[in-house]
Each structure stands twice: as structure tokens, then as C-alpha cells.
Amino acid sequence: MAQGPTIALDAMGGDHGPTVVLAGAELARVRFPEIRYLIFGREDEIRKVLKQYPKLEAASEIIHTDDVVLGSDKPSQALRRSRTSSMGMAIQSVKDGQAQAAVSAGNTGALMAMAKFILRTNEGIDRPALVALLPNMRSESVMLDLGANTECSAENLVQFAVMGAAFARTVLGLNRPKVALLNIGEEELKGTDDLKEAAARLRDTDLPMEFVGFTEGDKIGVGDVDVIVTDGFSGNIALKTAEGTAKLISGLLRRAFLHSLWTKLGYVLARGGLRALRSHLDPNNHNGAVFLGLNGLVVKSHGSANAAGMAAAISLSYDLITDDISRRIAQDLENFRATPAAPTEDA
């Protein structure tokens, strides 16, 4: 078997530590048996779990460290321990070329700070963006930024759009993904000056994407747009609102079906469809947020993800590695900047 990419795992991150991280790595290994792993964390805890997966153990190397970033740690505190913590060492292995991606379910703020500090941004990119897949009525859509940058200029939004389109072509398999900027209305006159400027610059691009203008928050789940671009402040609020709405719908459905004997009977009849709905909305099936724009891949798994969710995050890493997402982004940015600017109305 040909040796595939090496992925660094922060085994101590998340709510469940090595138990879920290694179970997810085993599931991902079944799908991609050529993956190799560098596993960072407390060796005795890791080996105890790894004994359950002999084939995974044979494809893994453990790098011991007692230092673990806690969920309560401030990013500044965690950053000072980037050389000794399991999270920091996993990211460092990407910079050193020992691994092609790092995956962690640990503290998001700490992971973001360490990734930016250790890997730095790609040439031509001012700020990295946190991107993830969101379920919609048709399938999935890409959204960024989801919290890495609370304030963004027009140039930042343009770069996010280019990165998001490249991500959609890789992960969703789209030749020309539809891209839109999140705004308070779809009319061209609405929104901030930065949004208007970004839209004007994206409108005439020759890149393999279709810029469709502005979209509103209530359209995120429709699926008419493949890539939704916004600043990290608005994006994080939209993401948490969508997650809360999904929980609300699940709770209301559960309460409705338990209301009486007749509604319980209705649940039995509708059980197949409800299971499909639950699977589509399950965050574990869409798990894995990526810091795009860095000199290396870092994937953030949800802290409460189960084994299937961790496997999804690792599988996402594999797809981005094999499709060389960093090269795609760099090439698209270069082509975008080489495109002559469209003449203004005054000209």
C-alpha cells in the first residue's frame, strides 16, 4: 500500500480526549487506509486506547507531552505553551513538514492564536478565515469567516470570497460555485461601504466562480448560494443562530410527537423521514472548520464531536491535502489580481 499523507492529531483536545479522537482516526483510516498519523499527547492515555485499534496503532507515531491546553485557557496563556502543549506541537509538525495537516477538537481561541503564530499567513493574504460547511435545503454550503476576524475590510472580504470558492470546488466538487456576500438586503445600495466595494471588485472576476451579489440571513439555509462570505462577527452570530434553530426544531418536534397517543403513532409512521432529517442536521456529519489562508492546514473539530464527527474532520483534512487547497487559493488570488479592473461609471 502506498503511503499517504500524514495528519497530526491533538489527542488531548475536546470533551472526550483520546477516546473519541482515536476512534475517529480509526473510522477515517477505514475510508483512507493510506493515512499516517502523528499523535500528540499523554502517551500512557493514548496507548491505552490505541490497543483497541491494532491497524491504527501500526500506522501511528506517538509524541509524548504532559502539557494540555484546557478549554478555560485564554489564547495568550496557551500561546506561551505552543512549544510544549499537544495542540502547539501538532501545529508545529505541519510547519516542520512532518505532517500535512493538524486536527484538534480543543480550545478554538487557542488553536486560532497558535495556528496564526506558528504558520503565518500565505503570501498575498492579509488574514486567515475560519470556514465550515453548513447544511441547507439542497445539500451543503460553505460559509466564512466564522469568527477569526471581527472586523474586515473590503480587501479581506474579497480574499475570503476567493478562498471560499476554492474550498467549495475542492470539498463540494463544484466547477463554478455561486458566491454571495451576507448583507442586510439584496439591493446593491444596501450595506456598508466595505461590502459595496467588495461586491464591485468581485462582480467582474474571471475566476471559476459566479458572484451573485448579496444574500440575507434567511437565505442561508435555502441552498441557492454555495459560498456565503461575511466578517467573523456576523458569521459567528449566524452560525450560532443556525445551530440554536436546529436544536429548537428538534426539541419542538420531540415535544409534539410525545403529546398524545395519536402523535406517538404519527411518529412511528414518520420515523424514517425524521431520521433522515436528524442525520442531515447532525453537526457531526458536517464537522470540521478550517483556518484558510495559512502556510499549512489546521482543522478545528467541534469539542463535543463523537467518533463519526472526528472522522469527518480528518476526512476533510485528507481531501484538502490531496487537492492541494493552498495551491488553488494562491493561484486564484494571483489570477484575480491579474484581471484588469472594470471601468467605473464616471470613467
Side-chain angles (χ1 to χ4, degrees):
M1 182 187 303
Q3 182 171 315
T6 299
I7 296 177
L9 300 177
D10 171 17
M12 313 310 295
D15 298 346
H16 310 289
T19 302
V20 165
V21 173
L22 298 182
E26 170 67 7
L27 289 176
R29 190 202 61 80
V30 172
R31 182 182 175 191
F32 304 113
E34 66 273 24
I35 294 180
R36 308 286 300 180
Y37 293 104
L38 294 180
I39 305 175
F40 295 85
R42 294 169 181 158
E43 186 171 2
D44 55 343
E45 296 182 34
I46 294 170
R47 288 203 180 278
K48 184 178 179 180
V49 179
L50 205 54
K51 288 180 180 179
Q52 304 173 42
Y53 313 110
K55 292 183 178 179
L56 174 63
E57 187 174 20
S60 303
E61 178 184 349
I62 301 172
I63 295 88
H64 171 74
T65 178
D66 282 319
D67 193 358
V68 175
V69 174
L70 302 177
S72 57
D73 288 344
K74 295 180 179 179
S76 57
Q77 295 173 327
L79 197 57
R80 288 193 288 269
R81 292 150 45 212
S82 59
R83 294 185 178 182
T84 59
S85 64
S86 58
M87 179 185 290
M89 292 170 68
I91 299 172
Q92 185 66 42
S93 72
V94 176
K95 180 179 180 181
D96 294 341
Q98 299 170 336
Q100 285 75 58
V103 181
S104 175
N107 184 318
T108 304
L111 186 67
M112 185 188 309
M114 285 189 189
K116 291 169 69 175
F117 176 75
I118 295 173
L119 298 176
R120 307 296 181 180
T121 56
N122 283 333
E123 184 179 355
I125 296 177
D126 298 328
R127 298 181 183 182
L130 186 61
V131 58
L133 295 172
L134 300 181
N136 59 44
M137 294 290 290
R138 297 184 179 183
S139 178
E140 292 176 312
S141 56
V142 173
M143 189 167 181
L144 72 167
D145 177 26
L146 295 177
N149 308 279
T150 55
E151 295 182 0
C152 295
S153 65
E155 174 64 20
N156 297 146
L157 295 173
V158 168
Q159 291 175 10
F160 294 170
V162 174
M163 292 192 293
F167 184 88
R169 297 203 309 276
T170 295
V171 178
L172 300 181
L174 302 172
N175 292 325
R176 289 184 61 82
K178 294 181 178 180
V179 180
L181 295 168
L182 187 64
N183 201 350
I184 58 172
E186 297 182 6
E187 299 85 355
E188 292 185 12
L189 296 177
K190 288 191 174 181
T192 64
D193 290 340
D194 285 324
L195 279 170
K196 295 174 185 176
E197 181 183 342
R201 294 175 60 184
L202 290 168
R203 199 162 279 124
D204 298 305
T205 178
D206 290 329
L207 293 179
M209 69 181 193
E210 179 184 351
F211 180 67
V212 297
F214 298 133
T215 189
E216 298 180 79
D218 62 343
K219 302 292 194 309
I220 293 176
V222 175
D224 291 338
V225 176
D226 303 309
V227 181
I228 301 159
V229 180
T230 184
D231 60 83
F233 185 84
S234 303
N236 192 266
I237 291 175
L239 174 65
K240 298 297 175 57
T241 302
E243 291 176 345
T245 302
K247 291 179 181 178
L248 172 64
I249 293 172
S250 299
L252 291 176
L253 284 172
R254 187 180 301 110
R255 184 188 304 175
F257 280 117
L258 292 175
H259 180 68
S260 68
L261 180 61
W262 290 109
T263 57
K264 291 179 182 179
L265 178 61
Y267 168 76
V268 173
L269 296 174
R271 185 163 46 191
L274 291 170
R275 284 177 178 171
L277 174 63
R278 181 172 60 185
S279 176
H280 186 61
L281 295 177
D282 187 351
N284 286 294
N285 294 332
H286 314 277
N287 188 41
V290 185
F291 293 106
L292 286 184
L294 297 173
N295 291 306
L297 285 172
V298 177
V299 176
K300 171 68 175 72
S301 167
H302 201 290
S304 62
N306 59 22
M310 179 58 66
I314 295 172
S315 298
L316 174 61
S317 304
Y318 179 92
D319 290 339
L320 296 175
I321 292 168
T322 55
D323 209 49
D324 200 356
I325 185 67
S326 297
R327 178 192 57 79
R328 280 200 174 201
I329 289 173
Q331 189 176 51
D332 284 357
L333 280 171
E334 183 179 350
N335 291 339
F336 178 82
R337 294 194 172 98
T339 302
T344 64
E345 186 174 322
D346 290 342

